Amino acid sequence: MDTKTMEILPNGLNAEELYKVDAYWRASNYLSVGQLYLHDNPLLKEPLKLEHVKSMLLGHWGTTPGQNFIYAHLNRIIKKYDLSMLYVSGPGHGGPAVVAGTYLEGTYSEIYPDITQDEDGLKKLFTQFSSPGGISSHASPQTPGSIHEGGELGYSLSHSFGAVLDNPGLIVACVVGDGEAETGPLATAWHSNKFLNPLTDGVVLPILHLNGYKISNPTVLARISHEELEQLFRGYGWNPIFVEGDDPEQMHNDMAAAMDYAVDRIKQIKFDAEHPNAMRPRWPMIILRSPKGWTGPKEVDGYKIEGNFRSHQIPLAVSAGTPPEHLRMLESWLRSYRPEELFDEHGKLIAELAELAPQGDSRMGANPHTNGGALLQSLRLPNFRDYAAVVESPGANGEGDTYVCGRFLRDVIKENEQQRNFRIFGPDETMSNRLDEVFDVTNRQWNAPVTQHDEFLAPEGRVMEMLSEHQCEGWLEGYLLTGRHGLFNCYEAFIHIVDSMFNQHAKWLKTCLELPWRRKIASLNILLTSTVWRQDHNGFTHQDPGFIDHVVNKKANIVRVYLPPDANCLLSVMDHCLRSYHYVNVIVAAKHPAPQWLTIAEAVEHCTRGIGIWNFASNDQDCEPDVVLGCSGDVPTLETLAAVSILREHLPELKIRVVNLVDLFKLQKSSEHTHGLTDQDYNALFTTDKPVVFAFHGYPWLVHRLTYNRANNINMHVRGYKEEGTITTSFDMAVLNEMDRFHLVMDVIDRVPQTGSKGVYLKQMLADKLTEHKQYIKANGKDMPEILNWKWVNQASTNQ
């Protein structure tokens, strides 16, 4: 809707409504300022004194009055139109507003009974804010109604769109700060409107809050012309409705009219969608331009505050070391909201104002979708054993681990079609990552034009793809936070794009575990493929296994990392992860055809243990090993077994134990991670004094880090990725990083002195092989036949 349309809309409020919504806004602002400054005298029943003011003033005022204004008007339309709505606070540090809003509507006191609806409760509410042992300045997990903390900017719209997928009756009012709007993820998220299905999904109502400034700079969108701003959002496919000004009375009327219009448009879009050949709708959004720090101090010590960046945090310093007039200014500011008109003598919001808030679950702080675990239904999972790869003996040919898993995921989608609670997300890589078979039963959801030669595009589908890791991660997080399940598949090297998003989600999960009222949600499952060892055609830019290093930093009760060596192990791990709750599960798996090692029964047993000796590859059953060969990941496992075959052929007297690791955290002590091995079990596998040569999927130092306090760590020698790569053959990738079979054997010879003269000659032969390899790939552009055609041959009967 353009400005001309707005001019002909009637004012949305009569005199009584105007007074009440303004009073409600004043109450929210009063509570917000109280949270920033006070720990006593919450109703100003006596003149304000320094001892009533917190000794440490922390928090943010600038965004708060605008968000209080929005919250009050959202309450009005929820009641008027009987809406199911939740509130996402995108601007950083919007905590005072959301806490004030949920306190006034009553949900805060219901969840925290000690924060009562009276003077004593107000005192506690104020004291706890940004205080040691209290609550943070964001809309954190402790805040009722929050699914988005806003501590890091950029993800509010992504979370909001994820929340409304498969929630046709839900509206998410997403407040986007104009500072936040400058981030890459947020700028891209405006395109999420091309993926929403009006029939099967809910609605996101973005409210772009232009208050003009970030921490100390003006914002880009606040300094472009009205015309350019309108054209920008029309170009994004939105219908922008402008509400601009600083006069409260006029702004209340304009906001009420804007919200009424937005709801009418949403209802019309939903109605039109039921008709065949409906065009992609132009959803409404609101652009609210109001002063930063609105209704706060106009000027302090000669500096402009309201409508300026200086209102961003604490706009008025009050302490024993500040001018005495600052205390008087604070009192004047608080009294400007006329608290005596808002709260009764006991400190409770007066009844006629309390009536403005919705009731029960209609309150934004009590909407069931904001505590998604309460709505969570278990997935209906087919028996993953039915999809097993046939492995008649170790080393059987495989068609690609993720390809096999794709058939299982296809039927997970089928089994849950009626529940509509499972989706796959990925940045245009579902086909590339060889999950092709899911498209036998679903499409990519896409609500933009489709041409004749497009594939698997439809207005409704269980696969969400956009070439933005940020959007895929954000959509999935919003989907999980509102009580559903999903999987994010991504190229291993580029999952780093969402490092920080993963951080925030892991922190959210950790904090929720400390809140009894927060219900557990489905796990964030991340499938990483197109891995470092099989990115020979894309080269160095696509080679990075370091995301798992990043994941390991998080709390042990939140994160899990799995490296299944073959398809049957991947099936077992995937089934386990899809059944789990409240974790971040990272699965690193192969997509290219590769040898298969375990039958499905063996895979289930191995993955349940998480680590174990592979008997078929070991020959130390009747004695102590001379060396332990550890491996974790598909290519490291392949190269380790190839190394074993060389050792068994040339050094048959050598006693070798092969230990394969699926669950990375088995390496840690049980006292540090619930999946960790006890010292006794770890020593039984790796010994206390024998050399261990470990081939690892990722960076070698991660294994050293996880085993630094183990008994045999001095004998742990790890080979993995060390930042060597290019466009080359697959085997050469291992050679470049010295994790190939030849280097592994040479490492064993260096560590085991009893190999003697035989070892010396074998080492020289392998050095020559490496030279031959380099010459061969340069001349032929492919690996040597003995590498390409290598097969595992069980030699246990001859060498045990």
Side-chain angles (χ1 to χ4, degrees), residues 147-148 154-163 165 185 189 192 425 468-481 488 498 501-502 505 524:
I147 65 166
H148 172 86
Y155 313 134
S156 58
L157 266 183
S158 305
H159 285 158
S160 299
F161 275 94
L165 293 173
S192 296
F425 299 79
S468 166
E469 286 82 359
H470 285 121
Q471 301 317 310
C472 297
E473 173 77 12
W475 288 341
L476 175 54
E477 288 178 3
Y479 199 64
L480 299 176
L481 288 162
F488 179 22
V498 300
M501 294 186 77
F502 152 77
H505 190 73
L524 170 60

Side-chain angles (χ1 to χ4, degrees), residues 570-589:
L570 175 58
L571 285 170
S572 180
V573 166
M574 183 63 71
D575 178 81
H576 170 77
C577 291
L578 291 179
R579 293 179 187 276
S580 69
Y581 296 94
H582 222 75
Y583 295 124
V584 178
N585 296 312
V586 178
I587 308 168
V588 184

Side-chain angles (χ1 to χ4, degrees), residues 382-389 391 408 562 564-576 579 597-612 614 660 662-663 666:
N383 187 342
F384 67 93
R385 295 168 179 82
D386 295 341
Y387 306 85
V391 181
F408 172 63
Y562 300 99
D566 66 6
N568 288 337
C569 288
L570 175 58
L571 285 170
S572 180
V573 166
M574 183 63 71
D575 178 81
H576 170 77
R579 293 179 187 276
W597 307 108
L598 303 180
T599 67
I600 191 64
E602 292 167 338
V604 171
E605 184 179 349
H606 182 51
C607 293
T608 301
R609 287 195 309 261
I611 189 172
W614 277 10
N660 184 265
V662 176
D663 182 346
K666 290 294 179 181

Side-chain angles (χ1 to χ4, degrees), residues 675-729:
H675 283 203
L677 294 174
T678 64
D679 282 336
Q680 182 179 6
D681 289 340
Y682 180 90
N683 294 341
L685 289 174
F686 291 106
T687 78
T688 58
D689 58 356
K690 297 297 188 294
V692 179
V693 176
F694 200 111
F696 182 54
H697 174 84
Y699 291 103
W701 44 83
L702 181 54
V703 173
H704 288 296
R705 173 183 166 188
L706 295 174
T707 60
Y708 81 96
N709 56 357
R710 293 293 194 177
N712 200 27
N713 70 320
I714 195 172
N715 285 319
M716 178 68 75
H717 310 287
V718 187
R719 292 185 174 271
Y721 184 66
K722 55 180 189 178
E723 286 296 308
E724 293 294 339
T726 183
I727 294 177
T728 186
T729 68

Side-chain angles (χ1 to χ4, degrees), residues 163-326:
V164 302
L165 293 173
D166 298 316
N167 269 331
L170 180 66
I171 300 176
V172 176
C174 178
V175 182
V176 179
D178 49 355
E180 179 190 23
E182 296 177 10
T183 64
L186 196 288
T188 306
W190 295 111
H191 287 299
S192 296
N193 56 7
K194 283 81 172 176
F195 297 86
L196 218 57
N197 185 331
L199 283 176
T200 58
D201 301 323
V203 178
V204 176
L205 175 63
I207 303 170
L208 175 61
H209 186 203
L210 295 176
N211 63 25
Y213 291 91
K214 305 184 282 282
I215 296 174
S216 59
N217 275 291
T219 57
V220 173
L221 293 184
R223 293 293 177 92
I224 64 177
S225 69
H226 185 289
E227 179 185 19
E228 186 178 354
L229 188 65
E230 182 174 9
Q231 288 174 348
L232 174 67
F233 284 100
R234 285 194 173 278
Y236 274 133
W238 294 93
N239 181 359
I241 309 163
F242 286 83
V243 177
E244 302 174 280
D246 59 4
D247 176 67
E249 181 175 339
Q250 186 62 48
M251 290 289 278
H252 282 307
N253 279 313
D254 288 350
M255 192 64 162
M259 287 198 167
D260 284 340
Y261 176 81
V263 174
D264 285 344
R265 285 298 306 135
I266 288 167
K267 288 179 177 291
Q268 187 64 50
I269 288 169
K270 287 280 191 177
F271 176 79
D272 291 344
E274 297 176 3
H275 295 78
N277 303 317
M279 301 293 289
R280 176 172 65 86
R282 186 180 286 274
W283 295 99
M285 65 171 291
I286 294 172
I287 298 178
L288 170 66
R289 191 187 298 271
S290 65
K292 192 175 182 85
W294 195 13
T295 73
K298 307 291 185 186
E299 184 179 293
V300 176
D301 298 335
Y303 292 102
K304 179 178 173 62
I305 302 299
E306 185 189 62
N308 189 263
F309 67 86
R310 289 186 173 87
S311 66
H312 179 74
Q313 293 179 310
I314 299 294
L316 177 64
V318 180
S319 69
T322 57
E325 59 264 27
H326 282 203

